[in-house]
Amino acid sequence: MARRKSVRVQVGGVGIGGDAPIAVQAMTNTDTADAAATAAQALELARAGSELVRVTVNTDAAAQAVPAIAAALARAGCDAPLIGDFHYNGHLLLTRYPECARALAKYRINPGNVSIGRKDDANFRAMIEVAVRYGKPVRIGVNWGSLDQELLARLMDENARRAEPLDAAEVLRQAVVRSALDSAAAAERYGLPHDAIILSAKVSGAPELIAIYRQLAAECDYPLHLGLTEAGMGMRGTVASTAAMAVLLEAGIGDTIRVSLTPAPGGDRAEEVRIARQMLQSLGLRHFLPQVSACPGCGRTTSTFFQEMAARIEGHIQERMPVWRRQHPGVERMRVAVMGCVVNGPGESRHADIGISLPGTFEEPKAPVYVDGRLFRTLKGDGLVGEFIGILEDYVARRYAAGGSASNGAEAAGVAADAADGGARGAGQAREAKGTGRR
């Protein structure tokens, strides 16, 4: 898909917009004044794959803790840029604590909370001037829950005078877009470079988000930060965020994303990072981990064995990825299939880079393994999970050692061995493999 053209903004070592990959980010939910706890959670998010980490800076104590948090991340070897989230008193904190202003890689400003567009822009202007002084980019983040009410009232009045007034929801959407664009124009008037501005316009409904970002994308070339606000917990938040952002990403809109989930009490904050990465991977926009396809199960797969095998292979891949990523470039694009019966199993396994088709109920107790579209070997017995993982390890080592192919003489030997197995199905698979060219 074609990405919308935008300027590139540099946030620490991460590019946002332009030709940079769509970046994943997340936000801590610790008390920022607790530097140790916040640094620990920021590190956890970064290790899960968050390429930028945002922290709330809402009090003097929080601002004073920011340099210590940044230093702790640096000591841990974490280079994820640290972003400060400011509301209401950001102009005071950024000027009062210059070490905080320097330590942050980017500032997030909500124009609805800094008096922009009212009597004067003094608070907003003060924050922008700090950003200019220290060479920091800014995300102007509009949120419809804290929208500039004077702007909204003015647009509502203008709409009431129309011959054919728009409905209130459309006026609200226009106010969100107008707030973002007007604030960006003001930031540039106060000296912030055009390529130091990122925009976001957060709402909590998927249809509204899609409509607002389509309009925003058409009216500017600033990079856009996508995400529902107050998306909710668990499945609801995951589905709502995916439904909204996938539509926009498919249209080429969006340069960095955050999945804003409400975690369960004591839940894993990094779950939002994994969901964001999977969203990008499912759309083919980025690749982070090998993709494991597994059938959902049906009456043919009354055993839970294939589910257990799929979970074990997923776990093995995640455990091995830190090493594989260093030693085997490109392995994140590998596709693995774990199928539970003969209906779609062989076909799905052939479409994957490496796959196994387990026998379903009343099927012959054999599990053919396919490598690069060809039958490689047929496994039997209680140890086939371990055998398949061994084949997977060998495949990764050979195919991704130097970007080459994992197929070699061993594959041919595997096909020959299966052909000699004697069963009619085994012979048929061997003939099929012989006639199947490499994809």
Side-chain angles (χ1 to χ4, degrees), residues 10 50 71 85 157 212 246 289 308 319 341 351 359 377 398 410 416:
Q10 199 65 31
S50 184
D85 194 73
D157 289 343
I212 286 169
L289 287 170
E308 294 161 2
E319 182 180 332
C341 78
H351 290 315
R377 186 178 301 161
R398 287 184 282 120

Side-chain angles (χ1 to χ4, degrees), residues 182-261:
D182 288 353
S183 299
E188 290 198 51
R189 284 198 307 274
Y190 300 141
L192 194 64
H194 187 77
D195 63 355
I197 298 173
I198 297 168
L199 297 186
S200 68
K202 298 288 193 76
V203 296
S204 56
E208 291 83 5
L209 191 86
I210 293 166
I212 286 169
Y213 272 89
R214 281 176 171 163
Q215 184 177 344
L216 202 54
E219 294 192 28
C220 72
D221 66 349
Y222 298 112
L224 300 179
H225 168 123
L226 298 189
L228 282 182
T229 187
E230 296 99 28
M233 297 183 71
M235 182 183 70
R236 192 265 176 201
T238 300
V239 172
S241 294
T242 303
M245 286 192 273
V247 171
L248 293 166
L249 291 167
E250 176 67 22
I253 298 170
D255 303 288
T256 179
I257 67 172
R258 183 199 170 196
V259 175
S260 300
L261 294 182

Side-chain angles (χ1 to χ4, degrees), residues 49-202:
S50 184
E51 292 156 303
L52 307 97
V53 177
R54 182 160 44 111
V55 299
T56 296
V57 187
N58 59 334
T59 64
D60 291 80
Q64 290 171 314
V66 164
I69 295 166
L73 294 179
R75 285 194 302 272
C78 175
D79 58 2
L82 193 64
I83 301 164
D85 194 73
F86 295 94
H87 298 271
Y88 305 110
N89 60 352
H91 60 293
L92 299 175
L93 297 176
L94 284 171
T95 53
R96 193 178 292 161
Y97 300 102
E99 290 306 312
C100 168
R102 291 189 190 96
L104 293 168
K106 185 180 76 173
Y107 311 151
R108 184 276 174 111
I109 303 175
N110 182 339
N113 292 334
V114 291
S115 302
I116 186 168
R118 299 176 192 174
K119 290 182 179 179
D120 58 60
D121 296 340
N123 296 352
F124 178 81
R125 180 171 186 165
M127 298 179 75
I128 295 300
E129 288 176 344
V130 171
V132 172
R133 184 180 313 138
Y134 296 115
K136 306 294 183 179
V138 169
R139 170 161 72 98
I140 294 174
V142 178
N143 190 310
W144 74 346
S146 52
L147 188 61
D148 180 346
Q149 293 303 299
E150 291 191 18
L151 170 65
L152 179 59
R154 187 171 70 251
L155 292 181
M156 287 291 188
D157 289 343
E158 291 174 2
N159 183 61
R161 292 193 291 269
R162 290 172 180 261
E164 295 183 9
L166 304 172
D167 64 57
E170 175 59 27
V171 178
L172 178 59
R173 288 195 289 268
Q174 289 186 3
V176 171
V177 172
R178 195 77 269 136
S179 176
L181 295 176
D182 288 353
S183 299
E188 290 198 51
R189 284 198 307 274
Y190 300 141
L192 194 64
H194 187 77
D195 63 355
I197 298 173
I198 297 168
L199 297 186
S200 68
K202 298 288 193 76

